[in-house]
Amino acid sequence: VAEGMKIIVFSYPAYLLADDIRRKTPECQIIFYDPHQYGLILEFAVRGRLMKQAAHWWGKSLAKRMDSQNELVYMDGLCMDRTSRIYGCTSRPDLVIPLAMELRGYNRRQAQERYRQREFRILTITRMEFPFKGYVIGLVGLFEQLCRRYPSLHLDVVGEGSCGRQLKNRLGHLDPEIRRRVHWHGSVPYGELDAYFRKAKLYIGMGTTVLDAANHGIVSLPVGSYTYHCKGYGFLHQDPMNLGGIGGRTEMEGLIRQVLAFSEEE
């Protein structure tokens, strides 16, 4: 690592790794960019009262240290305000650097072409990090139930991560006929995702991938985090500021069935 280099990280584990590098190269600087809508509040990631209490104090200690060293930058004011309120970190407008996402105009022709495709492909793109992104496990179970009624249904899962084995085990318990209709593509470079968006009729996910799907004119359903159930918040166009929250509120099965029944005009 060159002296004076800036290391940008997005998670606590990455920060600890970067901090180890800094001890060997004191002149480098760490910037923790927090893209999580619940800020740095670590206790959301664990279960159990004692575990949550331990996570709170460990996370607070580390966040306060980063704050005192001017290493924290936030995706939006919501992230910053929650971290400031719960951990006592600094809150200033200049600490917010919004994600650079631009939504394009709606393309009616593109949507009509997608509607006429024979296969109905549900797409999700995510990092296999559970329970944060545990909705994928719930989505597979939901897909298993829907497959019995909808023969044209397919599920495309894009992503890898430390919890990939859990997804592999879940897929291994599917009936072979249903398993053939679940396509786990692993890690795909961002520039190559267009091919998957073009085939999808419905997107289920969280965060900026929901905006990517919207940019491709796909019906999009934000989903809840920190749960192995698959619950959402309705259609993105009904609440465009909601890219997913904790747990979800609405049963996803009913929303998927609604999309499957859409007319071309809908």
Side-chain angles (χ1 to χ4, degrees), residues 2 26 82 100 180:
R82 284 185 170 139
R180 281 192 286 271

Side-chain angles (χ1 to χ4, degrees), residues 137-206:
I137 301 297
L139 178 57
V140 170
L142 184 53
F143 179 81
E144 183 179 21
Q145 299 300 317
L146 291 168
C147 265
R148 296 187 170 93
R149 179 174 176 184
Y150 300 97
S152 65
L153 207 57
H154 289 257
L155 175 62
D156 287 299
V157 179
V158 174
E160 286 285 0
S162 59
C163 299
R165 182 174 294 276
Q166 288 179 247
L167 177 59
K168 182 178 180 180
N169 290 341
R170 180 64 184 91
L171 295 178
H173 285 88
L174 294 176
D175 178 273
E177 179 56 36
I178 295 176
R179 176 67 185 87
R180 281 192 286 271
R181 291 157 64 183
V182 179
H183 315 280
W184 183 12
H185 304 281
S187 181
V188 174
Y190 187 80
E192 297 177 15
L193 290 176
D194 283 5
Y196 299 92
F197 284 122
R198 281 195 297 270
K199 294 179 180 179
K201 287 192 176 183
L202 174 63
Y203 186 82
I204 296 174
M206 64 175 72

Side-chain angles (χ1 to χ4, degrees), residues 9 14 18 25 32 50 54 59 63-65 94 104 124 132 149 151 160 173 177 180-181 194-195 215 222 244-246:
V9 298
T25 314
F32 190 116
L50 292 178
K64 292 283 285 184
R65 173 184 157 191
D94 62 299
R104 298 189 292 267
T124 191
F132 180 28
R149 179 174 176 184
E160 286 285 0
H173 285 88
E177 179 56 36
R180 281 192 286 271
R181 291 157 64 183
D194 283 5
N215 267 337
I246 289 184

